[in-house]
Amino acid sequence: MTLPTPGLPTTGLPTLGLVGLGKIARDQHIPAIAATGLFELAAVVSPDGDSAGTGGVPCFRSQAEMLAALPGLDAMAICTPPAVRHGLTVEALRAGKHVLIEKPPAATLSEMQDIAAQAQAARRTLLTAWHSRFNPAVEEARQRLADATVRSVAITWKEDVRRWHPGQDWIFAAGGFGVFDPGINALSILTAVLPAPVFVRSAELHVPANRDTPIRAMLEMRAAPGAPVGVVTADFDFLQQGEQTWSIAIETADGSRLDLTHGGTRLIVDGVPAMAEPDSEYQRIYRHFHRLMLDGASDIDARPLHLVADACLVGRWRTTDAFHW
Amino acid sequence: MTLPTPGLPTTGLPTLGLVGLGKIARDQHIPAIAATGLFELAAVVSPDGDSAGTGGVPCFRSQAEMLAALPGLDAMAICTPPAVRHGLTVEALRAGKHVLIEKPPAATLSEMQDIAAQAQAARRTLLTAWHSRFNPAVEEARQRLADATVRSVAITWKEDVRRWHPGQDWIFAAGGFGVFDPGINALSILTAVLPAPVFVRSAELHVPANRDTPIRAMLEMRAAPGAPVGVVTADFDFLQQGEQTWSIAIETADGSRLDLTHGGTRLIVDGVPAMAEPDSEYQRIYRHFHRLMLDGASDIDARPLHLVADACLVGRWRTTDAFHW
């Protein structure tokens, strides 16, 4: 999508408001904004008023307050929990702001479709920031597979929820995505690197008896007949003890094998490390966002969310042991 | 979407191939094709070879055979079960055919997105035929609500699955939609008549212990803040004894009430019958398909499927009593 109006201010850096000051904002967004030097972090929104670590920029209790106080802001980065992203994104777009949204960009597909329509109507840049895609190893894998025939893909995404989301009950509440919260990162890589789309054929979803979202999910996906992609399996597990695994193993028809490991940050080709870069995905996100604003364009992709919803739609839901922290 | 190439033959009626010769094809499509007189039913596909009731037109075992034998066909009507619609639709589009698809147009959202992309690439007409929308009472309701503020909507869609789908185990198998098979008709009406989009906020899904899809589903939907639509509830029940109900009750802020009853075929305004037409929805579908081909346009809508997938994504899944026919 090309926008008719230029997206950058004529003088100075574009100013950015950061909405939602949780772990991902502090660990990733603020350092990446500082490191890239392409945006001026002009304000933050923190509902509890705690703005420690933001360098003393103005802090507001809501985005609406921030927009009213600082009408000249150029862009927003929405880092809140998923449930409120749709409303905040629409509010920001209608106020004429460019918007970067953390993954997943919305809680539902209906919201996702509305966000895309609103961005088009507002003629503003929208970036659905599927962060795992921004690792250089992912782009390298995409290029290597662009003309390949993929025989099989096996996604193994196994982590210990007690270690990575300790006490975060929202992840197991209805709409909290459960094990799809990390799993959607794998699907965002999958849809970025494969040379053809794949479709969920079956899924098995295990929900703890005392929770509402899956703690384990196993998916089988296939491409259309004749497409250069074979079977794709995914095993998402939130109860992994010991070694944690975030890997995608890809076998091609010519007998070679690509392994994207460590969440997509490393690429191994036929057993030989081909790329291992430090984790710079958020810097790449902000460079991409800046470039999109410069070009008057958007990057809106619902495919990872489609695959999760499809798994929920066609999957077999099974009740498993109750989960306690 | 406007297509650059004209969609109708220069002489004679456009020829149509009917793919899938089940109950809906025999009860609705074939009579509607005959009654409207806008298409020549030129061939049918029936995997079991039974083409009784089609007036002796050529019958093939697969769409591929039909396309090979009759390459000049103009259009296809896909009336198979949902699981194979995506593959058949893509095959027909790539063969240069215009395509009408029964509801739901695909088994998953990923397939739905691919179908829309393929129709655009093939530059052919695609109609996702949400048949319940084609009742005149639905269009009348849409017009009455276009400038209204809708205070509330209550959808009640309660039928006896033993009466309407006797022995059809596929409907309770994974991917079979369960009570969403009829319920999606209500959602196709809802999305057609409301003046603003709504989003699933919560859902409760009851799955029999020996089945995989919901036998009952209760949804709560809401529009965006500030939109002219209040709360929307839906109660889909497959175990309704006695009177069968397919109704949508709509209250507006000015105190009036619209009732769409009998699956959207009748409209009652403030208690007074305003419209009750014989069931002509399939004739309207074929007129619309013909018009789209004439205009070189498509009518592709995924919103009802989005709402079903959203309910599965954010819903609470509960196991209920086993279901036996």
Side-chain angles (χ1 to χ4, degrees), chain A residues 86 107-111 113-114 174-175 177 197-201 212 303 306-310 312-314 316-319, chain B residues 86 107-111 113-114 174-175 177 197-201 212 303 306-310 312-314 316-319:
Chain A
H86 168 241
T108 63
L109 291 153
S110 308
E111 289 181 354
Q113 185 173 44
D114 189 54
F177 281 84
V198 290
F199 312 102
V200 178
R201 289 286 172 251
D212 289 317
R303 289 175 298 165
H306 281 175
L307 292 174
V308 170
D310 288 345
C312 295
L313 181 65
V314 309
R316 294 158 159 250
W317 291 74
R318 294 289 174 263
T319 304
Chain B
H86 169 241
T108 63
L109 291 153
S110 307
E111 289 182 352
Q113 186 174 46
D114 188 55
F177 281 85
V198 290
F199 313 101
V200 178
R201 288 286 172 250
D212 289 316
R303 289 176 297 165
H306 281 174
L307 291 173
V308 170
D310 288 345
C312 294
L313 182 65
V314 309
R316 294 159 159 249
W317 292 73
R318 293 289 175 260
T319 303

Short mmCIF file of all heavy atoms in Angstrom, two decimals, chain A residues 86 107-111 113-114 174-175 177 197-201 212 303 306-310 312-314 316-319, chain B residues 86 107-111 113-114 174-175 177 197-201 212 303 306-310 312-314 316-319:
data_model
loop_
_atom_site.label_atom_id
_atom_site.label_comp_id
_atom_site.label_asym_id
_atom_site.label_seq_id
_atom_site.Cartn_x
_atom_site.Cartn_y
_atom_site.Cartn_z
N HIS A 86 -6.38 -3.03 19.67
CA HIS A 86 -7.27 -2.57 18.61
C HIS A 86 -7.78 -1.16 18.89
O HIS A 86 -7.64 -0.26 18.05
CB HIS A 86 -8.45 -3.56 18.47
CG HIS A 86 -9.56 -3.06 17.62
ND1 HIS A 86 -10.84 -2.88 18.09
CD2 HIS A 86 -9.59 -2.71 16.32
CE1 HIS A 86 -11.61 -2.44 17.10
NE2 HIS A 86 -10.88 -2.33 16.03
N ALA A 107 -6.44 -8.94 19.19
CA ALA A 107 -6.88 -10.12 19.92
C ALA A 107 -7.71 -11.06 19.06
O ALA A 107 -7.82 -12.24 19.36
CB ALA A 107 -7.70 -9.70 21.14
N THR A 108 -8.31 -10.51 18.00
CA THR A 108 -9.16 -11.31 17.12
C THR A 108 -8.95 -10.90 15.67
O THR A 108 -8.40 -9.83 15.37
CB THR A 108 -10.66 -11.12 17.44
OG1 THR A 108 -11.01 -9.76 17.21
CG2 THR A 108 -10.99 -11.51 18.87
N LEU A 109 -9.42 -11.73 14.75
CA LEU A 109 -9.31 -11.44 13.33
C LEU A 109 -10.22 -10.31 12.90
O LEU A 109 -9.88 -9.54 11.99
CB LEU A 109 -9.63 -12.70 12.54
CG LEU A 109 -8.55 -13.74 12.74
CD1 LEU A 109 -9.09 -15.13 12.57
CD2 LEU A 109 -7.42 -13.47 11.80
N SER A 110 -11.38 -10.20 13.54
CA SER A 110 -12.28 -9.10 13.21
C SER A 110 -11.61 -7.77 13.54
O SER A 110 -11.69 -6.82 12.76
CB SER A 110 -13.59 -9.23 14.00
OG SER A 110 -14.13 -10.51 13.82
N GLU A 111 -10.95 -7.72 14.69
CA GLU A 111 -10.20 -6.50 15.04
C GLU A 111 -9.07 -6.26 14.05
O GLU A 111 -8.81 -5.12 13.65
CB GLU A 111 -9.62 -6.64 16.45
CG GLU A 111 -10.64 -6.59 17.57
CD GLU A 111 -9.98 -6.70 18.94
OE1 GLU A 111 -8.75 -6.93 19.01
OE2 GLU A 111 -10.70 -6.55 19.94
N GLN A 113 -8.86 -7.11 10.91
CA GLN A 113 -9.39 -6.60 9.65
C GLN A 113 -9.76 -5.12 9.78
O GLN A 113 -9.51 -4.32 8.88
CB GLN A 113 -10.62 -7.41 9.23
CG GLN A 113 -11.15 -7.03 7.87
CD GLN A 113 -12.28 -7.95 7.40
OE1 GLN A 113 -13.18 -8.29 8.15
NE2 GLN A 113 -12.21 -8.36 6.16
N ASP A 114 -10.33 -4.76 10.93
CA ASP A 114 -10.71 -3.37 11.15
C ASP A 114 -9.48 -2.46 11.21
O ASP A 114 -9.47 -1.36 10.64
CB ASP A 114 -11.52 -3.26 12.45
CG ASP A 114 -12.15 -1.88 12.62
OD1 ASP A 114 -12.86 -1.43 11.71
OD2 ASP A 114 -11.91 -1.25 13.67
N ALA A 174 -9.14 -16.84 28.94
CA ALA A 174 -9.73 -16.81 27.60
C ALA A 174 -9.21 -15.60 26.83
O ALA A 174 -9.19 -14.48 27.34
CB ALA A 174 -11.25 -16.73 27.71
N GLY A 175 -8.74 -15.83 25.60
CA GLY A 175 -8.18 -14.76 24.79
C GLY A 175 -6.70 -14.51 25.04
O GLY A 175 -6.09 -13.67 24.38
N PHE A 177 -4.22 -16.61 24.57
CA PHE A 177 -3.41 -17.33 23.58
C PHE A 177 -2.68 -18.56 24.13
O PHE A 177 -2.32 -19.44 23.37
CB PHE A 177 -2.39 -16.40 22.88
CG PHE A 177 -2.98 -15.55 21.80
CD1 PHE A 177 -3.61 -14.34 22.09
CD2 PHE A 177 -2.94 -15.95 20.48
CE1 PHE A 177 -4.17 -13.55 21.09
CE2 PHE A 177 -3.49 -15.18 19.47
CZ PHE A 177 -4.11 -13.97 19.78
N PRO A 197 2.00 -20.45 0.57
CA PRO A 197 1.21 -20.48 1.80
C PRO A 197 0.87 -21.90 2.23
O PRO A 197 0.77 -22.79 1.40
CB PRO A 197 -0.06 -19.70 1.44
CG PRO A 197 -0.16 -19.77 -0.04
CD PRO A 197 1.24 -19.87 -0.56
N VAL A 198 0.71 -22.07 3.54
CA VAL A 198 0.27 -23.37 4.07
C VAL A 198 -1.03 -23.17 4.85
O VAL A 198 -1.34 -22.06 5.28
CB VAL A 198 1.33 -24.02 4.98
CG1 VAL A 198 2.51 -24.49 4.15
CG2 VAL A 198 1.77 -23.09 6.09
N PHE A 199 -1.76 -24.28 5.00
CA PHE A 199 -3.09 -24.26 5.60
C PHE A 199 -3.17 -25.32 6.69
O PHE A 199 -2.65 -26.41 6.52
CB PHE A 199 -4.14 -24.53 4.51
CG PHE A 199 -3.92 -23.69 3.28
CD1 PHE A 199 -3.32 -24.23 2.15
CD2 PHE A 199 -4.23 -22.34 3.29
CE1 PHE A 199 -3.07 -23.44 1.03
CE2 PHE A 199 -3.98 -21.55 2.18
CZ PHE A 199 -3.40 -22.10 1.04
N VAL A 200 -3.82 -24.98 7.80
CA VAL A 200 -3.93 -25.93 8.90
C VAL A 200 -4.89 -27.05 8.50
O VAL A 200 -6.04 -26.80 8.13
CB VAL A 200 -4.45 -25.24 10.18
CG1 VAL A 200 -4.59 -26.27 11.30
CG2 VAL A 200 -3.50 -24.12 10.60
N ARG A 201 -4.40 -28.29 8.55
CA ARG A 201 -5.23 -29.45 8.22
C ARG A 201 -5.82 -30.08 9.48
O ARG A 201 -6.94 -30.56 9.48
CB ARG A 201 -4.40 -30.50 7.47
CG ARG A 201 -4.05 -30.08 6.07
CD ARG A 201 -5.26 -30.17 5.14
NE ARG A 201 -4.96 -29.59 3.85
CZ ARG A 201 -5.44 -28.44 3.39
NH1 ARG A 201 -6.29 -27.73 4.13
NH2 ARG A 201 -5.11 -27.98 2.21
N ASP A 212 -8.17 -21.82 30.43
CA ASP A 212 -9.00 -21.68 29.22
C ASP A 212 -8.22 -21.71 27.91
O ASP A 212 -8.83 -21.73 26.84
CB ASP A 212 -9.80 -20.37 29.29
CG ASP A 212 -10.90 -20.45 30.34
OD1 ASP A 212 -11.58 -21.49 30.40
OD2 ASP A 212 -11.07 -19.48 31.10
N ARG A 303 -1.29 -13.18 8.62
CA ARG A 303 -1.18 -14.62 8.40
C ARG A 303 -0.85 -15.42 9.66
O ARG A 303 -1.44 -16.50 9.88
CB ARG A 303 -0.17 -14.92 7.28
CG ARG A 303 -0.68 -14.53 5.90
CD ARG A 303 0.38 -14.74 4.85
NE ARG A 303 1.55 -13.89 5.10
CZ ARG A 303 2.74 -14.05 4.53
NH1 ARG A 303 2.93 -15.04 3.67
NH2 ARG A 303 3.73 -13.23 4.80
N HIS A 306 -4.00 -15.77 11.49
CA HIS A 306 -4.89 -16.69 10.78
C HIS A 306 -4.60 -18.14 11.16
O HIS A 306 -5.51 -18.93 11.41
CB HIS A 306 -4.72 -16.55 9.26
CG HIS A 306 -5.43 -15.37 8.68
ND1 HIS A 306 -5.31 -15.01 7.36
CD2 HIS A 306 -6.26 -14.46 9.24
CE1 HIS A 306 -6.05 -13.93 7.14
NE2 HIS A 306 -6.62 -13.58 8.25
N LEU A 307 -3.32 -18.50 11.17
CA LEU A 307 -2.97 -19.90 11.43
C LEU A 307 -3.35 -20.31 12.85
O LEU A 307 -3.81 -21.44 13.07
CB LEU A 307 -1.48 -20.13 11.17
CG LEU A 307 -1.07 -20.04 9.69
CD1 LEU A 307 0.45 -20.14 9.56
CD2 LEU A 307 -1.74 -21.13 8.85
N VAL A 308 -3.16 -19.41 13.81
CA VAL A 308 -3.57 -19.72 15.19
C VAL A 308 -5.09 -19.89 15.27
O VAL A 308 -5.59 -20.87 15.85
CB VAL A 308 -3.10 -18.62 16.17
CG1 VAL A 308 -3.72 -18.83 17.54
CG2 VAL A 308 -1.58 -18.63 16.28
N ALA A 309 -5.83 -18.96 14.68
CA ALA A 309 -7.29 -19.07 14.71
C ALA A 309 -7.75 -20.33 13.98
O ALA A 309 -8.69 -21.01 14.42
CB ALA A 309 -7.93 -17.83 14.09
N ASP A 310 -7.09 -20.66 12.88
CA ASP A 310 -7.45 -21.87 12.14
C ASP A 310 -7.24 -23.12 12.99
O ASP A 310 -8.04 -24.05 12.96
CB ASP A 310 -6.63 -21.98 10.85
CG ASP A 310 -7.07 -20.96 9.81
OD1 ASP A 310 -8.17 -20.39 9.96
OD2 ASP A 310 -6.32 -20.73 8.84
N CYS A 312 -7.45 -23.25 16.20
CA CYS A 312 -8.55 -23.26 17.18
C CYS A 312 -9.85 -23.70 16.53
O CYS A 312 -10.68 -24.37 17.15
CB CYS A 312 -8.72 -21.87 17.81
SG CYS A 312 -7.30 -21.36 18.79
N LEU A 313 -10.05 -23.33 15.26
CA LEU A 313 -11.29 -23.63 14.54
C LEU A 313 -11.39 -25.10 14.17
O LEU A 313 -12.45 -25.72 14.32
CB LEU A 313 -11.34 -22.76 13.27
CG LEU A 313 -12.54 -22.85 12.35
CD1 LEU A 313 -13.80 -22.36 13.04
CD2 LEU A 313 -12.29 -22.02 11.09
N VAL A 314 -10.30 -25.69 13.67
CA VAL A 314 -10.38 -27.09 13.20
C VAL A 314 -9.78 -28.07 14.20
O VAL A 314 -9.80 -29.27 13.96
CB VAL A 314 -9.68 -27.28 11.83
CG1 VAL A 314 -10.17 -26.25 10.83
CG2 VAL A 314 -8.16 -27.23 11.95
N ARG A 316 -8.85 -30.31 17.70
CA ARG A 316 -9.53 -31.10 18.72
C ARG A 316 -9.08 -30.59 20.07
O ARG A 316 -7.89 -30.64 20.39
CB ARG A 316 -9.14 -32.57 18.59
CG ARG A 316 -9.61 -33.23 17.32
CD ARG A 316 -8.76 -34.45 17.00
NE ARG A 316 -9.49 -35.33 16.11
CZ ARG A 316 -9.98 -36.51 16.46
NH1 ARG A 316 -9.77 -36.99 17.67
NH2 ARG A 316 -10.66 -37.22 15.60
N TRP A 317 -10.01 -30.11 20.84
CA TRP A 317 -9.71 -29.57 22.17
C TRP A 317 -9.80 -30.68 23.19
O TRP A 317 -10.80 -31.38 23.28
CB TRP A 317 -10.71 -28.45 22.50
CG TRP A 317 -10.53 -27.23 21.66
CD1 TRP A 317 -10.87 -27.09 20.34
CD2 TRP A 317 -9.94 -25.98 22.04
NE1 TRP A 317 -10.54 -25.83 19.89
CE2 TRP A 317 -9.98 -25.12 20.91
CE3 TRP A 317 -9.40 -25.49 23.23
CZ2 TRP A 317 -9.48 -23.82 20.94
CZ3 TRP A 317 -8.91 -24.19 23.26
CH2 TRP A 317 -8.96 -23.37 22.13
N ARG A 318 -8.74 -30.85 23.97
CA ARG A 318 -8.69 -31.89 24.97
C ARG A 318 -8.35 -31.29 26.32
O ARG A 318 -7.49 -30.41 26.42
CB ARG A 318 -7.60 -32.92 24.60
CG ARG A 318 -7.89 -33.71 23.34
CD ARG A 318 -9.04 -34.70 23.58
NE ARG A 318 -9.44 -35.37 22.36
CZ ARG A 318 -10.46 -35.00 21.57
NH1 ARG A 318 -11.18 -33.93 21.88
NH2 ARG A 318 -10.76 -35.69 20.50
N THR A 319 -9.01 -31.77 27.37
CA THR A 319 -8.73 -31.30 28.73
C THR A 319 -7.60 -32.12 29.33
O THR A 319 -7.63 -33.35 29.26
CB THR A 319 -10.00 -31.42 29.60
OG1 THR A 319 -11.05 -30.69 28.97
CG2 THR A 319 -9.74 -30.85 30.99
N HIS B 86 -11.64 -25.07 -1.06
CA HIS B 86 -10.46 -24.28 -1.40
C HIS B 86 -9.76 -24.84 -2.63
O HIS B 86 -9.52 -24.12 -3.60
CB HIS B 86 -9.51 -24.25 -0.20
CG HIS B 86 -8.15 -23.70 -0.50
ND1 HIS B 86 -7.00 -24.45 -0.35
CD2 HIS B 86 -7.76 -22.50 -0.96
CE1 HIS B 86 -5.96 -23.71 -0.69
NE2 HIS B 86 -6.39 -22.53 -1.07
N ALA B 107 -12.65 -23.82 4.65
CA ALA B 107 -12.63 -24.46 5.97
C ALA B 107 -11.84 -23.66 6.98
O ALA B 107 -12.04 -23.80 8.18
CB ALA B 107 -12.05 -25.87 5.85
N THR B 108 -10.92 -22.82 6.50
CA THR B 108 -10.08 -22.02 7.38
C THR B 108 -9.87 -20.62 6.81
O THR B 108 -10.12 -20.38 5.62
CB THR B 108 -8.68 -22.66 7.57
OG1 THR B 108 -8.01 -22.69 6.30
CG2 THR B 108 -8.77 -24.08 8.14
N LEU B 109 -9.36 -19.74 7.64
CA LEU B 109 -9.10 -18.36 7.20
C LEU B 109 -7.91 -18.29 6.26
O LEU B 109 -7.88 -17.44 5.36
CB LEU B 109 -8.86 -17.50 8.43
CG LEU B 109 -10.13 -17.34 9.23
CD1 LEU B 109 -9.83 -17.09 10.68
CD2 LEU B 109 -10.97 -16.24 8.64
N SER B 110 -6.93 -19.14 6.47
CA SER B 110 -5.78 -19.15 5.57
C SER B 110 -6.22 -19.52 4.16
O SER B 110 -5.78 -18.92 3.18
CB SER B 110 -4.74 -20.16 6.06
OG SER B 110 -4.43 -19.91 7.41
N GLU B 111 -7.09 -20.52 4.06
CA GLU B 111 -7.65 -20.88 2.75
C GLU B 111 -8.46 -19.72 2.18
O GLU B 111 -8.39 -19.43 0.97
CB GLU B 111 -8.55 -22.10 2.89
CG GLU B 111 -7.82 -23.39 3.17
CD GLU B 111 -8.77 -24.58 3.25
OE1 GLU B 111 -10.01 -24.36 3.22
OE2 GLU B 111 -8.28 -25.71 3.34
N GLN B 113 -8.13 -16.52 2.67
CA GLN B 113 -7.24 -15.46 2.18
C GLN B 113 -6.61 -15.87 0.84
O GLN B 113 -6.49 -15.05 -0.06
CB GLN B 113 -6.13 -15.19 3.21
CG GLN B 113 -5.24 -14.02 2.84
CD GLN B 113 -4.25 -13.68 3.94
OE1 GLN B 113 -3.59 -14.53 4.51
NE2 GLN B 113 -4.14 -12.40 4.24
N ASP B 114 -6.26 -17.13 0.72
CA ASP B 114 -5.66 -17.61 -0.52
C ASP B 114 -6.66 -17.55 -1.67
O ASP B 114 -6.32 -17.14 -2.79
CB ASP B 114 -5.16 -19.04 -0.32
CG ASP B 114 -4.34 -19.54 -1.51
OD1 ASP B 114 -3.36 -18.85 -1.87
OD2 ASP B 114 -4.67 -20.58 -2.09
N ALA B 174 -13.85 -32.77 13.76
CA ALA B 174 -12.97 -31.59 13.74
C ALA B 174 -13.06 -30.90 12.39
O ALA B 174 -12.96 -31.54 11.34
CB ALA B 174 -11.53 -32.01 14.03
N GLY B 175 -13.27 -29.57 12.40
CA GLY B 175 -13.41 -28.82 11.16
C GLY B 175 -14.83 -28.81 10.62
O GLY B 175 -15.10 -28.15 9.61
N PHE B 177 -17.52 -27.55 12.06
CA PHE B 177 -18.23 -26.34 12.48
C PHE B 177 -19.29 -26.57 13.56
O PHE B 177 -19.64 -25.65 14.27
CB PHE B 177 -18.86 -25.59 11.29
CG PHE B 177 -17.87 -24.77 10.50
CD1 PHE B 177 -17.11 -25.34 9.49
CD2 PHE B 177 -17.70 -23.43 10.78
CE1 PHE B 177 -16.20 -24.60 8.77
CE2 PHE B 177 -16.79 -22.66 10.06
CZ PHE B 177 -16.03 -23.25 9.05
N PRO B 197 -18.83 -2.51 12.26
CA PRO B 197 -18.37 -3.87 12.57
C PRO B 197 -18.42 -4.15 14.07
O PRO B 197 -18.31 -3.26 14.89
CB PRO B 197 -16.91 -3.86 12.07
CG PRO B 197 -16.50 -2.44 12.03
CD PRO B 197 -17.75 -1.64 11.77
N VAL B 198 -18.60 -5.44 14.39
CA VAL B 198 -18.55 -5.87 15.79
C VAL B 198 -17.45 -6.91 15.96
O VAL B 198 -17.02 -7.54 15.00
CB VAL B 198 -19.91 -6.43 16.27
CG1 VAL B 198 -20.93 -5.33 16.38
CG2 VAL B 198 -20.39 -7.56 15.37
N PHE B 199 -17.01 -7.05 17.21
CA PHE B 199 -15.87 -7.90 17.54
C PHE B 199 -16.26 -8.83 18.69
O PHE B 199 -16.93 -8.41 19.63
CB PHE B 199 -14.68 -7.02 17.94
CG PHE B 199 -14.45 -5.89 16.97
CD1 PHE B 199 -14.87 -4.60 17.26
CD2 PHE B 199 -13.88 -6.14 15.73
CE1 PHE B 199 -14.70 -3.57 16.35
CE2 PHE B 199 -13.70 -5.12 14.81
CZ PHE B 199 -14.11 -3.83 15.12
N VAL B 200 -15.81 -10.08 18.60
CA VAL B 200 -16.14 -11.05 19.65
C VAL B 200 -15.37 -10.70 20.92
O VAL B 200 -14.14 -10.60 20.90
CB VAL B 200 -15.80 -12.49 19.22
CG1 VAL B 200 -16.12 -13.48 20.35
CG2 VAL B 200 -16.58 -12.87 17.96
N ARG B 201 -16.08 -10.50 22.01
CA ARG B 201 -15.45 -10.19 23.30
C ARG B 201 -15.30 -11.44 24.15
O ARG B 201 -14.33 -11.59 24.86
CB ARG B 201 -16.28 -9.15 24.05
CG ARG B 201 -16.20 -7.78 23.46
CD ARG B 201 -14.85 -7.11 23.74
NE ARG B 201 -14.74 -5.86 23.00
CZ ARG B 201 -13.92 -5.68 21.97
NH1 ARG B 201 -13.14 -6.66 21.54
NH2 ARG B 201 -13.86 -4.53 21.34
N ASP B 212 -16.10 -33.36 18.51
CA ASP B 212 -15.03 -32.36 18.44
C ASP B 212 -15.47 -30.93 18.17
O ASP B 212 -14.66 -30.01 18.22
CB ASP B 212 -14.01 -32.77 17.36
CG ASP B 212 -13.20 -33.98 17.77
OD1 ASP B 212 -12.76 -34.03 18.93
OD2 ASP B 212 -13.01 -34.88 16.94
N ARG B 303 -16.05 -11.98 6.66
CA ARG B 303 -16.40 -11.56 8.02
C ARG B 303 -17.17 -12.59 8.84
O ARG B 303 -16.85 -12.77 10.02
CB ARG B 303 -17.17 -10.22 7.97
CG ARG B 303 -16.28 -9.04 7.59
CD ARG B 303 -17.10 -7.77 7.47
NE ARG B 303 -18.09 -7.88 6.40
CZ ARG B 303 -19.13 -7.07 6.24
NH1 ARG B 303 -19.32 -6.07 7.08
NH2 ARG B 303 -19.96 -7.23 5.24
N HIS B 306 -14.63 -14.95 10.04
CA HIS B 306 -13.80 -14.31 11.07
C HIS B 306 -14.46 -14.42 12.45
O HIS B 306 -13.80 -14.74 13.44
CB HIS B 306 -13.60 -12.83 10.75
CG HIS B 306 -12.55 -12.56 9.72
ND1 HIS B 306 -12.31 -11.31 9.22
CD2 HIS B 306 -11.70 -13.39 9.08
CE1 HIS B 306 -11.34 -11.38 8.31
NE2 HIS B 306 -10.96 -12.62 8.21
N LEU B 307 -15.75 -14.14 12.51
CA LEU B 307 -16.42 -14.13 13.81
C LEU B 307 -16.46 -15.53 14.42
O LEU B 307 -16.30 -15.69 15.63
CB LEU B 307 -17.84 -13.54 13.68
CG LEU B 307 -17.88 -12.04 13.37
CD1 LEU B 307 -19.31 -11.59 13.09
CD2 LEU B 307 -17.29 -11.20 14.51
N VAL B 308 -16.67 -16.55 13.59
CA VAL B 308 -16.66 -17.93 14.10
C VAL B 308 -15.26 -18.28 14.62
O VAL B 308 -15.11 -18.82 15.73
CB VAL B 308 -17.11 -18.93 13.02
CG1 VAL B 308 -16.86 -20.36 13.48
CG2 VAL B 308 -18.57 -18.73 12.68
N ALA B 309 -14.24 -17.98 13.83
CA ALA B 309 -12.87 -18.29 14.26
C ALA B 309 -12.52 -17.50 15.52
O ALA B 309 -11.86 -18.02 16.43
CB ALA B 309 -11.88 -17.98 13.14
N ASP B 310 -12.97 -16.25 15.59
CA ASP B 310 -12.70 -15.44 16.78
C ASP B 310 -13.35 -16.06 18.02
O ASP B 310 -12.75 -16.05 19.11
CB ASP B 310 -13.22 -14.01 16.58
CG ASP B 310 -12.36 -13.23 15.61
OD1 ASP B 310 -11.24 -13.67 15.31
OD2 ASP B 310 -12.82 -12.17 15.13
N CYS B 312 -13.87 -19.20 18.48
CA CYS B 312 -13.05 -20.37 18.83
C CYS B 312 -11.75 -19.94 19.49
O CYS B 312 -11.24 -20.62 20.38
CB CYS B 312 -12.75 -21.19 17.58
SG CYS B 312 -14.22 -21.97 16.85
N LEU B 313 -11.22 -18.79 19.06
CA LEU B 313 -9.93 -18.30 19.57
C LEU B 313 -10.05 -17.76 20.99
O LEU B 313 -9.18 -18.04 21.83
CB LEU B 313 -9.42 -17.19 18.62
CG LEU B 313 -8.09 -16.54 18.90
CD1 LEU B 313 -6.94 -17.53 18.76
CD2 LEU B 313 -7.87 -15.36 17.93
N VAL B 314 -11.08 -16.99 21.26
CA VAL B 314 -11.19 -16.36 22.58
C VAL B 314 -12.18 -17.08 23.49
O VAL B 314 -12.35 -16.68 24.65
CB VAL B 314 -11.59 -14.86 22.49
CG1 VAL B 314 -10.69 -14.12 21.52
CG2 VAL B 314 -13.05 -14.68 22.13
N ARG B 316 -14.29 -19.97 25.79
CA ARG B 316 -14.03 -20.99 26.80
C ARG B 316 -14.67 -22.26 26.31
O ARG B 316 -15.89 -22.33 26.13
CB ARG B 316 -14.68 -20.60 28.12
CG ARG B 316 -14.07 -19.37 28.76
CD ARG B 316 -15.05 -18.74 29.75
NE ARG B 316 -14.31 -17.91 30.68
CZ ARG B 316 -14.15 -18.19 31.97
NH1 ARG B 316 -14.69 -19.25 32.50
NH2 ARG B 316 -13.44 -17.39 32.73
N TRP B 317 -13.84 -23.28 26.13
CA TRP B 317 -14.31 -24.58 25.64
C TRP B 317 -14.69 -25.44 26.84
O TRP B 317 -13.88 -25.64 27.75
CB TRP B 317 -13.23 -25.26 24.81
CG TRP B 317 -12.95 -24.56 23.50
CD1 TRP B 317 -12.30 -23.38 23.32
CD2 TRP B 317 -13.35 -24.99 22.20
NE1 TRP B 317 -12.26 -23.05 21.99
CE2 TRP B 317 -12.90 -24.04 21.27
CE3 TRP B 317 -14.04 -26.11 21.72
CZ2 TRP B 317 -13.11 -24.16 19.90
CZ3 TRP B 317 -14.25 -26.23 20.35
CH2 TRP B 317 -13.79 -25.26 19.46
N ARG B 318 -15.92 -25.98 26.81
CA ARG B 318 -16.39 -26.80 27.92
C ARG B 318 -16.89 -28.13 27.36
O ARG B 318 -17.55 -28.17 26.33
CB ARG B 318 -17.55 -26.10 28.65
CG ARG B 318 -17.13 -24.83 29.37
CD ARG B 318 -16.28 -25.16 30.60
NE ARG B 318 -15.78 -23.95 31.23
CZ ARG B 318 -14.54 -23.47 31.07
NH1 ARG B 318 -13.68 -24.07 30.25
NH2 ARG B 318 -14.15 -22.38 31.70
N THR B 319 -16.59 -29.20 28.08
CA THR B 319 -17.07 -30.53 27.68
C THR B 319 -18.44 -30.78 28.28
O THR B 319 -18.65 -30.55 29.48
CB THR B 319 -16.08 -31.60 28.14
OG1 THR B 319 -14.80 -31.30 27.60
CG2 THR B 319 -16.51 -32.99 27.66
#
